[in-house]
Amino acid sequence: MRRLPLRFAVPTVGALVATGLVVALAPAAQKHGVVAQATARPQAVPTTITVTAGKPSELAFKLSKTSNVKPGTITFKVTNQGVAFHDFRVCSKPVATAADVTNSCAGKKTPTLKHGQSATLTVAIAKSGKYEFMCTVSGHAQAGMKGLIGIGVPVATSEEKAAATAGASTTASSSSGSSSGSTAATTTTSRPGSGSGNGGDTSGCAAGVTIRTSGAADADGDELGTEPDDNDGCV
């Protein structure tokens, strides 16, 4: 039998060895690829909620979502569509029930917004619960410009209505002309053109014009009828 030259047998063995190395290394490379893919975690996307102040009524908020909001970073996009000045605050501590809602709290808030202005408020809430939100302009929360947002928990429509009216008893004293229960009611400012020379109207409005009908918005509640006149309306 004729034997093949040795030079032809050596490359064949080398090719087999190289092929074996490729096959042996392939599972290891694939394994490392799987591990790298498994450890890559997608970044959490913040929850975005739109907030309209002054709608559906002047002393009210409309939120795009108020129930079962995912805990974490939440961005509120706030726009004032009302006539008066408004802001938006989210309280930093949860309440047990809607009856526990008050008219003031600690928490982050937007700047005071005029009609048509917008602001973005970003808060981080990790603990599930029911959190109060409100307008901090004097007299607005007492008049019902507040509510509840459920972080990781549901909030029923009946709870939202109860939260808006909680603590509203203080509004009666401020609206009746009493100086108690309202810091704005205890502060009066004399302005040119106000007083008896204007038909007895101390608001500074022209004869026959009231603060509410004038459309004046000075971030107080007198032009809305939620606070006594503090002499800073039309002037």
Side-chain angles (χ1 to χ4, degrees):
M1 179 181 293
R2 185 179 178 182
R3 300 181 63 181
L4 293 174
L6 183 60
R7 64 177 178 273
F8 293 106
V10 173
T12 303
V13 174
L16 291 175
V17 172
T19 302
L21 288 174
V22 172
V23 174
L25 291 174
Q30 184 178 9
K31 180 179 179 181
H32 286 298
V34 172
V35 172
Q37 185 177 5
T39 56
R41 296 180 181 179
Q43 294 182 350
V45 179
T47 300
T48 300
I49 297 177
T50 59
V51 180
T52 304
K55 296 290 182 179
S57 60
E58 185 64 47
L59 296 177
F61 286 113
K62 182 176 178 60
L63 278 66
S64 60
K65 187 176 180 62
T66 57
S67 184
N68 285 315
V69 177
K70 182 177 66 175
T73 302
I74 306 170
T75 298
F76 296 92
K77 295 185 176 181
V78 186
T79 302
N80 182 11
Q81 295 294 348
V83 176
F85 295 178
H86 297 299
D87 61 20
F88 180 78
R89 166 173 284 175
V90 178
C91 300
S92 57
K93 294 183 178 180
V95 296
T97 67
D100 298 319
V101 168
T102 61
N103 295 316
S104 64
C105 70
K108 296 180 67 175
K109 74 180 188 72
T110 66
T112 300
L113 305 174
K114 298 179 181 179
H115 171 75
Q117 289 185 328
S118 299
T120 298
L121 177 69
T122 300
V123 297
I125 306 178
K127 182 179 179 181
S128 296
K130 299 172 183 178
Y131 291 80
E132 183 182 0
F133 59 85
M134 67 179 69
C135 176
T136 68
V137 173
S138 179
H140 289 195
Q142 290 90 332
M145 202 168 187
K146 58 183 180 289
L148 283 179
I149 181 170
I151 307 299
V153 297
V155 172
T157 303
S158 58
E159 291 180 288
E160 293 181 14
K161 293 180 178 179
T165 58
S169 58
T170 57
T171 306
S173 61
S174 62
S175 299
S176 64
S178 171
S179 61
S180 61
S182 173
T183 56
T186 60
T187 304
T188 58
T189 305
S190 298
R191 301 292 182 91
S194 63
S196 59
N198 211 11
D201 183 4
T202 59
S203 67
C205 295
V209 178
T210 64
I211 293 175
R212 184 181 297 187
T213 60
S214 72
D218 57 2
D220 292 340
D222 48 7
E223 71 271 13
L224 301 173
T226 60
E227 295 179 4
D229 175 24
D230 56 5
N231 302 334
D232 64 350
C234 293
V235 294

